[in-house]
């Protein structure tokens, strides 16, 4: 008998049904819809609006701070002389004295040149408002007696001694084992004043150096002054290649210089124009314990370009 291949025909509809039945339950849509994109746009807009607002507030704050800095906290006016002020800031207000009557209050506008004059030595107060509305700053106005000075041109020598030992820098050095040593690192810093060692007040940097060298590697309690605050720190000296105990700091206990701005006043009194003395290395104002003036003669000078 011949064998006949029997081909069973399938109904297309049944095939589709079977295929559908064999698939697991899946979401109705494989691709995301545009709804998610629409939700993201408002979120991005809010973030952008937030950063724009922060930028505007930061710029406004910076401008207000600069305006505040332009207005001095204190103004001195010479009695009997006119003095012009031009701060070019959008503020206005009034000037009044302690015993000034209401009718004698003087209006001022610092956005334009202002000419002031007072005949009597007295203190006044100037209250100013930003844009004439927002209270902004209070300025002390002092009327002082005018004084005429005659330059004398006589130089003086200046010597000052610091209050304690001034630390001008910290550094490392090579130890006995040829490694780098930094005993004072993170303990002392430039601008510190070392006042005492183990409770003993210091008279100069020579005394301090000798105490460190004689420590034999034992801990030292240093009383220091930093930014107006006094406290103790403990540090352990270490030996350098020569066997001398060091802390790895550069110090100074005095400063010297020449002052040339001397003058005579109207009563033939001699004086010199003074200002704060800053350390050449740290640029900090030096804490002065004592000082002296000497007669000085300038023998030679050099001009630097």
């Amino acid at each position: 008998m011949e064998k006949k291949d029997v081909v069973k025909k399938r109904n297309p509809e049944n095939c589709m049904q079977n295929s559908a039945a064999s698939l697991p339950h899946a979401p109705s849509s494989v691709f995301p819809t545009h709804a998610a994109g629409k939700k993201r746009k408002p979120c991005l807009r809010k973030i952008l609006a937030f950063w724009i607002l922060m930028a505007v507030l930061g710029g406004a704050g910076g401008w207000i701070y600069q305006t505040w800095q332009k207005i001095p906290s204190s103004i001195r006016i010479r009695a009997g002389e006119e003095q012009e002020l031009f701060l070019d800031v959008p503020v206005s207000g009034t000037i009044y004295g302690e015993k000034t009557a209401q009718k004698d209050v003087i209006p001022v506008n610092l956005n334009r040149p202002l000419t002031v004059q007072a005949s009597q030595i007295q203190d006044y107060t100037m209250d100013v408002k930003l844009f004439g509305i927002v209270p902004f700053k209070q300025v002390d106005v002092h009327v002082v007696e005018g004084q005429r000075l005659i330059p004398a041109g006589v130089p003086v020598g200046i010597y000052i001694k610091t209050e304690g030992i001034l630390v001008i820098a910290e550094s490392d050095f090579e130890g006995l084992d040829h490694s780098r040593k930094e005993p004072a690192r993170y303990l002392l810093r430039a601008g510190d004043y070392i006042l005492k060692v183990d409770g003993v007040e210091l008279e100069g940097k020579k005394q301090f150096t000798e105490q460190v060298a004689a420590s034999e590697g034992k801990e030292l309690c240093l009383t220091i002054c930093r930014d107006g605050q006094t406290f103790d720190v403990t540090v352990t000296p270490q030996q350098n290649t020569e066997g001398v105990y060091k802390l790895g700091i550069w110090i100074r206990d005095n400063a010297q210089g020449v002052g040339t701005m001397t003058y005579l006043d109207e009563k033939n009194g001699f004086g010199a124009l003074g200002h704060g003395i800053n350390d050449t290395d740290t640029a900090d104002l030096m804490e002065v314990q004592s000082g002296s003036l000497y007669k000085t003669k300038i023998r030679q000078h050099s001009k630097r370009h």
Side-chain angles (χ1 to χ4, degrees):
M1 295 180 64
E2 288 185 6
K3 291 184 179 180
K4 295 183 179 179
D5 294 329
V6 180
V7 178
K8 187 177 181 180
K9 294 183 179 180
R10 295 183 179 180
N11 189 347
E13 293 182 358
N14 292 337
C15 183
M16 293 296 294
Q17 289 177 359
N18 293 336
S19 299
S22 62
L23 292 174
H25 295 285
S28 59
S29 177
V30 176
F31 300 98
T33 62
H34 295 289
K38 291 181 179 179
K39 290 180 180 179
R40 291 176 184 172
K41 288 183 179 179
C43 182
L44 293 175
R45 290 174 182 172
K46 289 181 180 179
I47 294 174
L48 181 60
F50 171 79
W51 285 113
I52 292 175
L53 178 61
M54 290 296 100
V56 171
L57 292 177
W63 177 82
I64 291 175
Y65 177 76
Q66 290 181 353
T67 303
W68 174 277
Q69 290 291 98
K70 285 184 178 180
I71 304 173
S73 299
S74 178
I75 298 175
R76 291 182 179 273
I77 301 172
R78 291 185 295 273
E81 297 183 17
E82 289 187 354
Q83 187 169 335
E84 185 176 282
L85 300 175
F86 183 44
L87 303 180
D88 192 23
V89 288
V91 299
S92 58
T94 55
I95 297 179
Y96 57 90
E98 295 181 358
K99 301 179 180 180
T100 303
Q102 186 66 29
K103 63 179 181 178
D104 296 327
V105 173
I106 305 172
V108 295
N109 185 354
L110 299 183
N111 203 23
R112 299 195 299 265
L114 174 67
T115 302
V116 294
Q117 181 180 7
S119 57
Q120 296 180 353
I121 298 176
Q122 186 180 344
D123 292 335
Y124 296 86
T125 301
M126 178 167 61
D127 289 332
V128 294
K129 298 180 179 180
L130 188 62
F131 304 117
I133 301 174
V134 182
F136 195 60
K137 195 170 187 177
Q138 188 176 82
V139 181
D140 296 326
V141 182
H142 306 285
V143 181
V144 297
E145 182 180 359
Q147 187 177 12
R148 188 180 300 275
L149 302 179
I150 305 171
V154 179
V156 292
I158 301 171
Y159 173 85
I160 61 171
K161 185 173 177 57
T162 61
E163 185 176 358
I165 308 300
L166 173 63
V167 179
I168 59 177
E170 58 173 295
S171 64
D172 58 6
F173 57 89
E174 186 177 356
L176 282 176
D177 57 357
H178 302 291
S179 64
R180 307 310 299 178
K181 305 296 184 181
E182 298 175 298
R185 188 172 179 82
Y186 306 121
L187 297 174
L188 300 175
R189 67 186 187 191
D192 288 348
Y193 284 87
I194 305 174
L195 306 178
K196 300 178 182 179
V197 177
D198 291 336
V200 179
E201 292 188 4
L202 294 173
E203 297 181 358
K205 64 180 182 180
K206 182 180 178 181
Q207 175 194 1
F208 176 72
T209 304
E210 291 175 350
Q211 285 182 287
V212 173
S215 66
E216 297 182 351
K218 297 179 182 178
E219 288 187 347
L220 297 176
C221 178
L222 307 182
T223 302
I224 68 172
C225 179
R226 177 184 298 166
D227 299 329
Q229 297 183 348
T230 303
F231 54 92
D232 294 338
V233 297
T234 302
V235 60
T236 304
Q238 298 187 35
Q239 289 176 302
N240 62 7
T241 54
E242 298 176 356
V244 180
Y245 287 96
K246 301 285 187 180
L247 290 182
I249 56 175
W250 295 87
I251 57 177
R252 177 181 292 136
D253 64 357
N254 63 72
Q256 304 169 44
V258 177
T260 58
M261 294 300 294
T262 54
Y263 63 85
L264 295 173
D265 60 20
E266 295 175 335
K267 298 180 181 179
N268 292 326
F270 177 79
L273 298 180
H275 57 81
I277 299 177
N278 295 71
D279 182 74
T280 56
D281 293 290
T282 65
D284 293 332
L285 189 66
M286 299 184 70
E287 298 289 339
V288 179
Q289 182 186 56
S290 59
S292 305
L293 293 179
Y294 298 91
K295 292 182 179 180
T296 303
K297 180 181 290 187
I298 300 176
R299 299 181 178 273
Q300 186 179 2
H301 72 279
S302 59
K303 184 177 181 181
R304 295 182 179 179
H305 298 280

